[in-house]
Amino acid sequence: MSETLDKPALNIVGTRPIRPDGADKVTGRAAYGADHSMPGQLVGKILRSPHAHARIVSIDTSKARAVPGVKAIITASDFPDLASEVLEGGEQASNLRDLSLNVMARDKALYHGHAVAAVAAASSEAADEALARIKVTYEVLPHVLDVEPAMAADAPLLHAHLFTEGLEAKATAPSNIAKRHRNVRGDPEGAFAAAEVTVEGRYTTQAVHQGYIEPHATVAAWAEDGRCEVWSSSQGQFMVRTYCARILGIEISDIRVTPAEIGGGFGGKTTVYLEPVALALSRASGHPVKIVMSREDVFRATGPTSGSVMHVKLGASADGTITSAHVDLKFQAGAFPGSPVGAACMTALACYDIANFSIVGWDVVTNTPKVAAYRAPGAPIAAFAVESAMDELARKLGMDPIALREKNAVRNGTKAAYGPTFQNIGYLETLAAIRDSEHYKSPLGPNQGRGVAVGFWFNVGGESTAAVNIGEDGSAVVVTGNPDIGGSRASMAMMAAETLGVPVDRVRPIIGDTASIGYSMLTGGSRTTFATGMAVVQAAEKVILDLRQRTAKLWDVSLDHVVWRMGQAECTDPAKPDKKPMTLAALAAQSARTGGPISAQVSLNAQGAGPGFGVHLCDLEVDPETGHVTVVRYTAAQDVGKAIHPAYVEGQIQGGVAQGVGWALNEAYIFDRQGLMENPGFLDYRMPVASDLPMLDTIMVEVPNPAHPFGAKGVGEVPIVPPLAAVANALRGAIGVRIPHLPLSPPVVLEALDSKAE
Amino acid sequence: MSKTHVTTTVNGDTAEFLASPGMTLLDALRDELGLTGAKEGCGSGDCGACSVMLDGRLVCSCLVLAPEVEGRRVETIEGMAQGGQLHPLQQKFLEHAALQCGFCTPGLLVASKALLDANPDPTETEARYWLAGNLCRCTGYDKIIRAVMDAAAELRQERTA
């Protein structure tokens, strides 16, 4: 299964060394968002709307200002009133005005938990007291939480100036529908009419949160000369810098952002909530300000990803060739436009080669928190519907679910449903890995079911910078601009060590602040090992070229006669047989005499990220008395290109599976009739715990990506795409009826069992 | 309201601090004693990121009021490595890649040590149920459980050697 590129054998890439930041992370020394303090810092806290939709009539802060210890109170009037403008820089483009209004509500509060004011005080108690004394007068408005009611003509309108984009005829009246996406190929209606077998279903999912264990946290200081320092936990320090500058109307050159260790993100930390507020409070108070969210704040005011209502119809000939597909996706965006429905439309049929299809997506605003990216944004939701429909089609055709997928699979040269032509993909190999697995051939026990589902994610490249600095002892420091969420320091160090030909422990990777390393897009889109890794390798190659040039001068030979092999320069000039190889350490020791310090930096915009495919196999068991579902065995296969550090690749796959299983079985935002989230804590928002899961088996399929020096493809997002449907399909197998709505919680399963019995 | 003077033992050393009303042990460790290894993930005892030992019992330090530790013995993640040597659990977590972001790791290590102190030879199921109070969102628990089982085996071997 594994093949190598036309390169020398690898010594480090593909091994499992201990991560370079490991000791700090097992001893409690690693400093996350809330672990940093600045001298003289104040406590910042945010007042949040108690209504799902309300006009802010007035805010009276006079009584709050009188609380001893209160140093500053701010509202939206302390931020510039920005015009609508599309801003690149996050995981997906954002509207600057919406970003700003989400950080602090101006005229209307658009969801329960929307920030309306903030205080900075000398103590937490004083800050709480001040929050209680801020008097906000609201005019409560009707609200709408769910996607289909929000699309109704008589729905409460969130934004008076929102006109649907993407319609054939220009929208004449405002609505909650921000955009319609549409992609049609061939003649889907004609093909349905001719289809021998069709399946059709309506599927729904609820909003779910990324669920990172570390709440958002920041400490920020606005100095008297206008220079700003920000320490925060995010997926990108450069993203924080751009967003803060634009939201506050200041220069990026006045802001330095230091990335804290990040306690999980999964896309949810690709935007700002606290940093501009802390800066504004610091400006108003003259002190550094620290703000840490509570878990309740995290649930009410950050994340989640969309709830959805979907419709899928598939048509096929009797031999299993899918001839037509229709996919309709309605996604909740939360308070501002920008659900991941666009990506969902692009990924929905990406695994299939279908001649005729129509895909329509609807981006709909609702009085719920503005959605944020969540691991392969949109793809798991669409895959839940499409892969459930595929399972129904396999049943109707009497076909093995993998055989059906193999028959309709995209392969190299297939024009993807979303446009480009696939090259160097390992989808068929990944399907074969599951088909041939011992797991797939194993028998099931009583009350058990087995489900198969596949998933796709683009993976991205983008802008990255890396520097390699050689110490006088021949060690190397690798500096990048990408926060390490899941062990990327290890892969950076390994790729640098492999390229330089030195042991991995001779390379120390660090993550620079925004003033210490060139621009890098945030850690997201499964881009870091691919794109930033490419910059690291190129910087190391630049160092090697420099070392060869220095050696050529020392030896008085041409550059062509100096080769770099296993961490040392070797002379290949037959006229100079006496030249002994020179190690990196030896060359570093005399760098002053050969041209000065040895160092290189590379900035690039990486292209050619290889798309990723995953095939998942889930066995579960249903307790017929309670409806409780237990996943008893799980195998996930994925084309990873080349696993740089296989243990962390396995970890990405296992983590994605666990999140997907939680999404399938238990997780959901539950709102009361007033639009108040009823389960804003880990007790009631039930993420998987250790006793909920079995060991999670992984199969890494390696079909190399020629655009990457070692063949890597992004791996972090694909594994959350298939599990929702893999679990749902397994449940269908176990109980004999399809439940097309997530989550598949015990009461829902029990109801299905009861209805079946009737 | 005035603050309460608290004297306690943290990782073997006497520690003193002033506790404001409502201050939790977690706040005291992090804000008064500068021990930021224990994390606040929820503040309600649901995630286990703030796990510490109190008189030899595993507790969520966010659910213990700071004055309650007067005269008692607190052990935190900062005390787990001894004499410059990682505890076998810490070493096994690294060898098995049992952490990704690392935020839950201090709590999981403290809870895992409590498990192995109470039950040196746990089954996988016992380990999973003991650690069910420690949320990890990154790993899917697979490598954590393997690390704990492997550390348990090594510690048993050390004991019999």
Side-chain angles (χ1 to χ4, degrees):
Chain A
M1 207 173 322
S2 170
E3 46 178 300
T4 49
L5 294 173
D6 185 21
K7 293 223 171 215
L10 300 172
N11 295 307
I12 294 165
V13 164
T15 65
R16 301 177 180 230
I18 285 176
R19 61 194 285 165
D21 54 339
D24 282 349
K25 286 186 173 159
V26 296
T27 54
R29 276 197 302 273
Y32 294 81
D35 297 340
H36 186 64
S37 293
M38 291 187 186
Q41 75 187 20
L42 303 174
V43 177
K45 296 210 177 193
I46 292 176
L47 185 68
R48 299 185 179 279
S49 169
H51 306 292
H53 195 194
R55 193 169 308 287
I56 299 169
V57 177
S58 64
I59 303 178
D60 178 359
T61 60
S62 55
K63 288 207 171 76
R65 284 180 200 279
V67 174
V70 170
K71 306 287 186 186
I73 301 180
I74 59 167
T75 64
S77 63
D78 294 276
F79 294 85
D81 194 353
L82 299 166
S84 183
E85 179 191 340
V86 174
L87 199 61
E88 303 289 339
E91 177 144 4
Q92 53 210 37
S94 302
N95 184 293
L96 179 60
R97 179 173 174 77
D98 294 347
L99 266 177
S100 166
L101 291 177
N102 197 35
V103 163
M104 194 62 72
R106 189 168 289 274
D107 302 319
K108 286 213 295 186
L110 293 165
Y111 53 93
H112 193 292
H114 198 165
V116 294
V119 306
S123 70
S124 183
E125 291 80 2
D128 285 334
E129 177 79 23
L131 288 186
R133 287 172 185 248
I134 296 174
K135 184 166 170 42
V136 184
T137 306
Y138 294 99
E139 178 197 341
V140 178
L141 302 169
H143 64 270
V144 62
L145 304 174
D146 294 320
V147 65
E148 283 187 325
M151 295 171 79
D154 60 347
L157 206 57
L158 271 76
H159 304 284
H161 304 292
L162 185 64
F163 292 83
T164 310
E165 287 178 39
L167 299 178
E168 283 84 6
K170 199 170 184 306
T172 53
S175 76
N176 293 323
I177 304 171
K179 191 169 184 178
R180 187 192 67 161
H181 298 257
R182 191 157 174 270
N183 180 13
V184 179
R185 179 187 285 176
D187 173 19
E189 290 314 315
F192 274 124
E196 292 168 290
V197 181
T198 58
V199 293
E200 192 165 3
R202 180 180 182 271
Y203 301 89
T204 65
T205 68
Q206 303 299 313
V208 297
H209 199 271
Q210 293 80 351
Y212 33 81
I213 312 298
E214 181 202 28
H216 298 257
T218 189
V219 53
W222 191 309
E224 291 73 8
D225 62 0
R227 301 289 173 89
C228 298
E229 295 278 341
V230 179
W231 162 284
S232 80
S233 165
S234 81
Q235 288 175 240
Q237 59 272 42
F238 292 93
M239 173 275 297
V240 172
R241 185 177 71 168
T242 304
Y243 285 1
C244 284
R246 297 304 306 275
I247 289 169
L248 292 161
I250 60 178
E251 300 295 326
I252 63 164
S253 56
D254 282 335
I255 307 180
R256 181 177 184 178
V257 182
T258 302
E261 293 301 329
I262 173 170
F266 315 108
K269 291 176 182 169
T270 58
T271 188
V272 292
Y273 299 101
L274 301 178
E275 293 87 345
V277 178
L279 279 171
L281 284 169
S282 179
R283 174 173 55 185
S285 66
H287 296 268
V289 174
K290 182 173 182 173
I291 312 180
V292 181
M293 278 196 194
S294 66
R295 176 55 51 184
E296 187 174 331
D297 289 345
V298 173
F299 275 115
R300 291 196 197 287
T302 76
T305 193
S306 307
S308 70
V309 174
M310 300 176 283
H311 191 98
V312 176
K313 184 178 177 186
L314 299 175
S317 51
D319 72 348
T321 304
I322 301 171
T323 52
S324 189
H326 175 68
V327 179
D328 184 81
L329 308 173
K330 296 172 183 139
F331 275 32
Q332 213 181 20
F336 299 96
S339 78
V341 75
C345 287
M346 291 168 77
T347 57
L349 298 177
C351 294
Y352 301 106
D353 187 3
I354 306 176
N356 308 285
F357 61 76
S358 72
I359 305 170
V360 181
W362 305 88
D363 183 32
V364 182
V365 294
T366 51
N367 291 116
T368 53
K370 165 73 174 77
V371 301
Y374 180 17
R375 204 169 195 164
I381 304 171
F384 166 63
V386 171
E387 291 304 294
S388 295
M390 284 295 294
D391 198 61
E392 289 301 310
L393 183 61
R395 287 176 184 281
K396 209 161 174 179
L397 288 162
M399 251 180 109
D400 173 88
I402 292 180
L404 176 62
R405 286 170 174 86
E406 284 176 326
K407 187 164 189 70
N408 294 282
V410 292
R411 29 204 101 208
N412 292 323
T414 305
K415 185 174 160 57
Y418 67 96
T421 299
F422 283 124
Q423 293 297 343
N424 307 301
I425 60 171
Y427 179 38
L428 286 173
E429 292 85 338
T430 309
L431 280 165
I434 289 293
R435 183 193 62 213
D436 299 339
S437 67
E438 183 273 323
H439 181 178
Y440 198 57
K441 294 166 189 148
S442 66
L444 288 168
N447 298 315
Q448 292 188 352
R450 174 166 293 162
V452 171
V454 302
F456 162 88
W457 186 246
F458 316 93
N459 300 321
V460 304
E463 297 165 89
S464 284
T465 303
V468 174
N469 303 323
I470 304 296
E472 55 267 44
D473 61 351
S475 62
V477 174
V478 171
V479 190
T480 69
N482 282 105
D484 177 355
I485 307 194
S488 62
R489 281 187 188 86
S491 66
M492 297 303 132
M494 291 169 72
M495 288 185 276
E498 186 76 64
T499 307
L500 291 169
V502 299
V504 70
D505 60 6
R506 297 292 284 164
V507 179
R508 292 285 162 189
I510 67 160
I511 295 151
D513 64 63
T514 55
S516 311
I517 185 71
Y519 179 83
S520 297
M521 282 169 61
L522 50 71
T523 298
S526 301
R527 62 176 294 277
T528 301
T529 298
F530 172 73
T532 307
M534 195 185 283
V536 166
V537 169
Q538 289 185 16
E541 284 170 345
K542 234 168 130 175
V543 162
I544 292 168
L545 178 62
D546 181 16
L547 291 165
R548 286 174 53 227
Q549 285 166 338
R550 292 176 194 235
T551 315
K553 275 189 195 154
L554 284 172
W555 287 341
D556 192 22
V557 299
S558 76
L559 181 61
D560 295 345
H561 280 134
V562 182
V563 296
W564 191 262
R565 199 179 287 148
M566 302 294 284
Q568 56 186 16
E570 293 175 14
C571 186
T572 57
D573 188 344
K576 306 264 178 134
D578 57 323
K579 296 298 179 195
K580 294 267 182 319
M582 290 191 72
T583 62
L584 177 56
L587 285 162
Q590 50 180 298
S591 63
R593 292 197 298 279
T594 57
I598 303 162
S599 172
Q601 179 162 316
V602 166
S603 295
L604 49 72
N605 189 347
Q607 306 297 316
F613 293 83
V615 181
H616 290 201
L617 181 59
C618 171
D619 292 356
L620 54 73
E621 186 169 321
V622 180
D623 179 341
E625 282 181 29
T626 63
H628 184 262
V629 172
T630 307
V631 174
V632 294
R633 189 169 181 189
Y634 204 103
T635 304
Q638 185 174 324
D639 172 24
V640 302
K642 171 70 189 173
I644 306 297
H645 191 307
Y648 286 101
V649 174
E650 292 164 356
Q652 286 294 321
I653 296 172
Q654 291 163 338
V657 168
Q659 282 185 316
V661 168
W663 195 339
L665 290 179
N666 283 303
E667 295 178 34
Y669 269 54
I670 300 167
F671 292 97
D672 73 5
R673 295 179 65 170
Q674 273 66 49
L676 171 70
M677 185 189 181
E678 292 189 299
N679 57 338
F682 285 141
L683 190 62
D684 299 314
Y685 184 91
R686 182 64 166 70
M687 308 197 312
V689 301
S691 53
D692 292 332
L693 294 169
M695 290 299 184
L696 301 171
D697 295 332
T698 59
I699 303 172
M700 290 179 283
V701 177
E702 295 190 315
V703 176
N705 173 13
H708 184 270
F710 299 109
K713 294 174 180 171
V715 297
E717 288 171 293
V718 174
I720 201 175
V721 182
L724 284 59
V727 171
N729 293 344
L731 184 62
R732 164 67 182 80
I735 67 174
V737 289
R738 166 76 50 186
I739 306 178
H741 312 299
L742 297 186
L744 305 166
S745 58
V748 172
V749 175
L750 206 52
E751 200 184 305
L753 287 168
D754 289 348
S755 70
K756 195 181 116 191
E758 278 163 14
Chain B
M1 277 170 78
S2 61
K3 293 186 175 182
T4 310
H5 181 266
V6 179
T7 306
T8 186
T9 303
V10 178
N11 298 328
D13 293 323
T14 301
E16 293 177 72
F17 58 89
L18 293 175
S20 52
M23 179 186 279
T24 64
L25 172 57
L26 177 61
D27 296 334
L29 290 170
R30 292 179 54 84
D31 301 336
E32 304 300 317
L33 303 177
L35 297 173
T36 56
K39 308 297 182 194
E40 180 164 321
C42 67
S44 53
D46 299 315
C47 79
C50 66
S51 298
V52 302
M53 301 298 283
L54 181 58
D55 285 346
R57 260 194 73 198
L58 180 64
V59 296
C60 285
S61 60
C62 74
L63 296 183
V64 176
L65 283 170
E68 289 185 74
V69 303
E70 172 71 35
R72 298 171 74 181
R73 191 163 45 87
V74 180
E75 292 160 86
T76 73
I77 184 65
E78 285 89 350
M80 190 178 278
Q82 293 286 327
Q85 288 285 316
L86 293 179
H87 185 277
L89 273 163
Q90 292 172 310
Q91 186 61 35
K92 291 300 179 191
F93 265 56
L94 293 181
E95 288 173 10
H96 285 268
L99 53 141
Q100 287 177 33
C101 82
F103 191 79
C104 70
T105 307
L108 267 158
L109 282 165
V110 169
S112 299
K113 183 166 180 294
L115 163 66
L116 300 190
D117 287 347
N119 178 0
D121 193 5
T123 63
E124 182 194 324
T125 301
E126 286 170 337
R128 285 185 179 276
Y129 275 87
W130 184 282
L131 296 175
N134 291 79
L135 287 176
C136 169
R137 190 62 156 173
C138 294
T139 65
Y141 305 102
D142 182 299
K143 292 179 188 300
I144 291 172
I145 299 299
R146 289 179 200 278
V148 170
M149 301 302 281
D150 194 10
E154 182 169 308
L155 283 163
R156 286 196 303 274
Q157 208 157 35
E158 271 178 27
R159 251 178 236 121
T160 55

